[in-house]
Amino acid sequence: MRDILDQLFEVLEQRRAADPDDSYVSALHHKGLNKILEKVGEEATETLLAAKDAEGGGEAERKALVAETADLWFHSLVMLSHLGLDHQDVLDELARRFGISGHEEKAARSK
């Protein structure tokens, strides 16, 4: 079975070329990077708030956090697509960092 990220990437690419009146993704691309970044920021904030609720909450709050995280990931993928990148670029970077201490990796970035 193909990875869900691969499937989503294909759908995002197809929708990017669709009529903005018929596709949310196409409408975002049509409005430009600033609108996409606004959505990423909005979803990041909603994810943070949901995480705070989930910390002391129950199953409903945990499900809300998962839903908000999915929204954040989705809009992040739209952002990457708009800039000519895709999920594989991010996965490759994560793979590169695997096995490296977070402190070491962060220190290497600042050089």
Side-chain angles (χ1 to χ4, degrees):
M1 183 172 144
R2 286 191 9 232
D3 183 90
I4 187 65
L5 291 174
D6 291 333
Q7 293 176 48
L8 184 54
F9 174 73
E10 286 183 19
V11 170
L12 289 175
E13 286 300 301
Q14 291 168 0
R15 301 242 172 103
R16 184 175 182 172
D19 184 336
D21 292 332
D22 297 332
S23 167
Y24 174 71
V25 170
S26 181
L28 283 174
H29 284 293
H30 185 74
K31 291 175 184 174
L33 182 60
N34 284 344
K35 182 61 176 178
I36 295 167
L37 296 177
E38 180 183 309
K39 288 301 297 178
V40 171
E42 175 186 316
E43 298 303 340
T45 299
E46 291 175 2
T47 300
L48 295 173
L49 294 172
K52 291 296 286 179
D53 291 343
E55 182 178 37
E59 187 62 24
E61 289 78 13
R62 294 174 69 78
K63 285 183 178 181
L65 174 57
V66 169
E68 291 300 344
T69 302
D71 289 345
L72 176 59
W73 288 12
F74 175 83
H75 287 89
S76 295
L77 291 170
V78 172
M79 174 191 66
L80 290 170
S81 171
H82 191 80
L83 296 169
L85 300 165
D86 68 47
H87 64 283
Q88 193 58 55
D89 297 305
V90 176
L91 295 175
D92 291 346
E93 177 61 15
L94 288 171
R96 183 191 69 76
R97 295 179 185 184
F98 198 80
I100 299 172
S101 151
H103 293 298
E104 291 173 19
E105 194 282 327
K106 189 169 183 175
R109 274 190 279 160
S110 62
K111 292 180 182 176

